[in-house]
Amino acid sequence: MKRWITGLLLVLLACVPVLLSRSSDPYLLKDSDTAFLLNAVRERHDPLSWFTGDWPLGNHFYRPISTLSFELDSFAFGDNAAGYGLTNALLAIACIVCLFWFLRELTDKLAVATSSALLFALWHTEWWWFVSDALLYLSVALAIGGLWRHGFRIRAWIPATLVLYFVHLETVPYAWIQKGVIQWLPGRTATVMSLFVLISLAAYARYERLSADRERKTLTPLDPPATRGTVATQDARGPVWMWAILSVFALLCALGSYEQAVMGPALLLGAAVAMGTMHIRVRWAWHFVFWAALVGYLLLRHNLVPDDTSAYQKQALRSGPGVLLDIAAYALPALAILPSFINSIVGWAVILFSRFWLSVFVICSNAAAIWSVKRHWQLTSAGYGLSLLAFLPMAWLNRFEHYHYLPMAFRSLFVVAMGWVAWDLTVIALSPRARQAPQRLSPAPGSLPRQ
């Protein structure tokens, strides 16, 4: 319990820069979308009416929950921009804390949950490049150290260098959260939605972890024996089913906040699959409830919001190679640079340009990451799969920073897990070279005579 509190305190400490980065500029309320939204809210002066139709901008979206946050700010702060900026920052902090809670329940690894939440908090500030640059320099230093230790036996150190460089690439955020979410009020729709999605995932993961059966692991001679600090599995106490009810309720709130939440049931299913790989026998029946909630939301939206495409939706929708490139950036960074890499090959002289070799290095780092991911495949697959699922529906829309907010929360788990892989490989790269034991004489000196 003390370790859990320590991790939470570290996460809260990392949230201080997020709070300090909030904006109090009066221009917050002068943005065209914000000004129109607040004007519509104040003219209607009926918060509950947003549950029965379009949201204030009138562009055929059903977002009553996120609209209520503007109603509350308008009531509490009036035209004081600093209050709105504070709410945006507090919502982001709540998302960081709930990500820590979710990953703690999902992985049962405090260090992984804390590190992922710290990275996600860092992405809310402009300080992320310190970590990114440090990893770049470390990958160079690791190559030098590996060359010194093992010489040209590159199999011992080149995987560590490439995977560490891959982690460096992944620490570069997919979006400028500080500008697109914290310092832009309409970006609040994504944080409100993300908050409820993370609560839904955390409550569901806690429900399964507290009451689901575990698959019995076959003990081997390599397993450590039980000690005084070993904790025996105990039966769950209290109404554990309340966590599942909270998960459903939070999912409904997320669906009423922002359209990206339609991936909520898929994310919950992904979390269940991830827990299944961790030897937890999840109860699949609850997922029928999650998908039924989505169907109910779609029917409600169909009845309350016009079906025709609004002018804004026509402007926002897109198709073509940009969609595939954005998906490729999440699926595998090397895929996103392949078109430009192929187009750059116009002759042998291309090898004289540093950009060509940098692209080759990026592609090799991706290949090394794929090859090495089996070391911690459960964590890497969970972070990778959830981030890709969360982003998929937004790929068909013209880019806005807040589209990447929820996917980046899950991506932090993937980056931390890959960092763990890089650490394992680094230990190998910097360890002394293996030495061949001397050949044993036959018979060995001092051995008993054979019969």
Side-chain angles (χ1 to χ4, degrees):
M1 185 65 178
K2 291 182 179 179
R3 293 178 64 248
W4 187 90
I5 294 176
T6 301
L8 178 59
L9 289 176
L10 286 174
V11 172
L12 291 174
L13 185 62
C15 291
V16 173
V18 179
L19 183 64
L20 297 178
S21 68
R22 70 186 186 278
S23 176
S24 58
D25 193 331
Y27 185 75
L28 277 176
L29 304 182
K30 296 180 181 179
D31 173 78
S32 58
D33 287 348
T34 304
F36 189 91
L37 189 152
L38 291 177
N39 184 58
V41 163
R42 291 167 181 173
E43 281 186 355
R44 181 174 296 191
H45 198 62
D46 185 5
L48 296 181
S49 66
W50 304 115
F51 286 89
T52 61
D54 210 337
W55 85 311
L57 294 186
N59 45 13
H60 301 182
F61 291 125
Y62 186 68
R63 302 172 180 176
I65 303 297
S66 53
T67 304
L68 286 182
S69 70
F70 288 101
E71 287 270 10
L72 290 173
D73 273 4
S74 178
F75 174 78
F77 304 115
D79 292 327
N80 181 10
Y84 293 81
L86 176 63
T87 301
N88 266 24
L90 291 177
L91 283 170
I93 290 172
C95 289
I96 295 169
V97 173
C98 286
L99 175 67
F100 168 76
W101 177 28
F102 165 54
L103 295 182
R104 177 66 180 84
E105 300 293 348
L106 178 73
T107 66
D108 198 26
K109 297 182 184 299
L110 182 61
V112 170
T114 304
S115 301
S116 301
L118 291 177
L119 177 61
F120 188 49
L122 192 68
W123 278 336
H124 285 71
T125 70
E126 296 180 353
W127 298 352
W128 58 266
W129 63 271
F130 283 106
V131 174
S132 184
D133 285 356
L135 290 173
L136 175 61
Y137 299 142
L138 284 175
S139 64
V140 175
L142 182 58
I144 297 173
L147 189 63
W148 173 71
R149 273 288 191 189
H150 303 281
F152 289 99
R153 295 175 61 250
I154 61 174
R155 291 182 59 185
W157 56 269
I158 198 65
T161 302
L162 291 173
V163 173
L164 190 58
Y165 183 76
F166 176 82
V167 177
H168 150 71
L169 294 177
E170 285 293 310
T171 54
V172 178
Y174 288 79
W176 189 358
I177 292 179
Q178 188 180 56
K179 181 180 179 181
V181 177
I182 297 180
Q183 298 180 358
W184 188 55
L185 293 184
R188 180 185 301 183
T189 53
T191 51
V192 173
M193 178 272 301
S194 299
L195 175 60
F196 284 114
V197 168
L198 290 171
I199 291 174
S200 178
L201 287 165
Y204 170 71
R206 182 163 182 79
Y207 164 74
E208 295 288 11
R209 187 164 292 283
L210 285 177
S211 57
D213 293 332
R214 267 67 170 175
E215 295 178 6
R216 292 186 178 274
K217 181 182 176 182
T218 303
L219 298 179
T220 69
L222 299 179
D223 290 316
T227 63
R228 185 173 60 179
T230 302
V231 179
T233 303
Q234 298 178 352
D235 293 334
R237 297 179 180 178
V240 178
W241 55 269
M242 290 296 294
W243 292 109
I245 298 298
L246 174 60
S247 179
V248 175
F249 176 75
L251 175 61
L252 292 174
C253 290
L255 290 168
S257 301
Y258 193 55
E259 285 68 27
Q260 193 174 8
V262 296
M263 299 305 295
L267 294 171
L268 287 159
L269 184 61
V273 172
M275 297 187 81
T277 65
M278 301 172 191
H279 309 291
I280 295 177
R281 295 176 179 173
V282 298
R283 275 69 56 87
W284 301 104
W286 275 102
H287 291 273
F288 291 101
V289 180
F290 298 140
W291 288 99
L294 175 60
V295 172
Y297 159 77
L298 294 175
L299 292 175
L300 180 66
R301 189 182 187 282
H302 173 74
N303 291 326
L304 298 179
V305 178
D307 288 332
D308 59 305
T309 306
S310 66
Y312 174 84
Q313 291 170 336
K314 291 179 181 178
Q315 183 182 7
L317 289 171
R318 65 168 180 166
S319 59
V323 175
L324 297 178
L325 288 176
D326 280 357
I327 295 176
Y330 274 89
L332 206 61
L335 293 178
I337 69 167
L338 274 179
S340 59
F341 174 72
I342 295 173
N343 292 333
S344 67
I345 303 177
V346 293
W348 66 268
V350 72
I351 65 175
L352 302 177
F353 297 98
S354 60
R355 183 178 178 182
F356 170 81
W357 292 109
L358 180 61
S359 299
V360 170
F361 198 68
V362 170
I363 294 172
C364 290
S365 71
N366 279 250
I370 294 173
W371 179 258
S372 306
V373 78
K374 60 181 177 291
R375 289 178 172 269
H376 300 291
W377 67 272
Q378 294 156 314
L379 296 178
T380 51
S381 299
Y384 174 87
L386 292 176
S387 66
L388 184 58
L389 277 175
F391 177 70
L392 273 180
M394 316 313 290
W396 279 266
L397 301 173
N398 290 317
R399 180 187 174 97
F400 275 98
E401 305 296 329
H402 60 282
Y403 293 168
H404 297 270
Y405 190 77
L406 183 61
M408 284 176 59
F410 302 127
R411 200 70 173 188
S412 65
L413 172 60
F414 174 69
V415 177
V416 167
M418 288 305 304
W420 194 355
V421 172
W423 170 258
D424 291 348
L425 295 174
T426 299
V427 171
I428 296 173
L430 298 182
S431 296
R433 184 183 301 183
R435 298 178 62 183
Q436 178 66 44
Q439 293 184 353
R440 182 175 180 179
L441 300 177
S442 181
S447 62
L448 295 174
R450 296 181 180 180
Q451 300 297 331

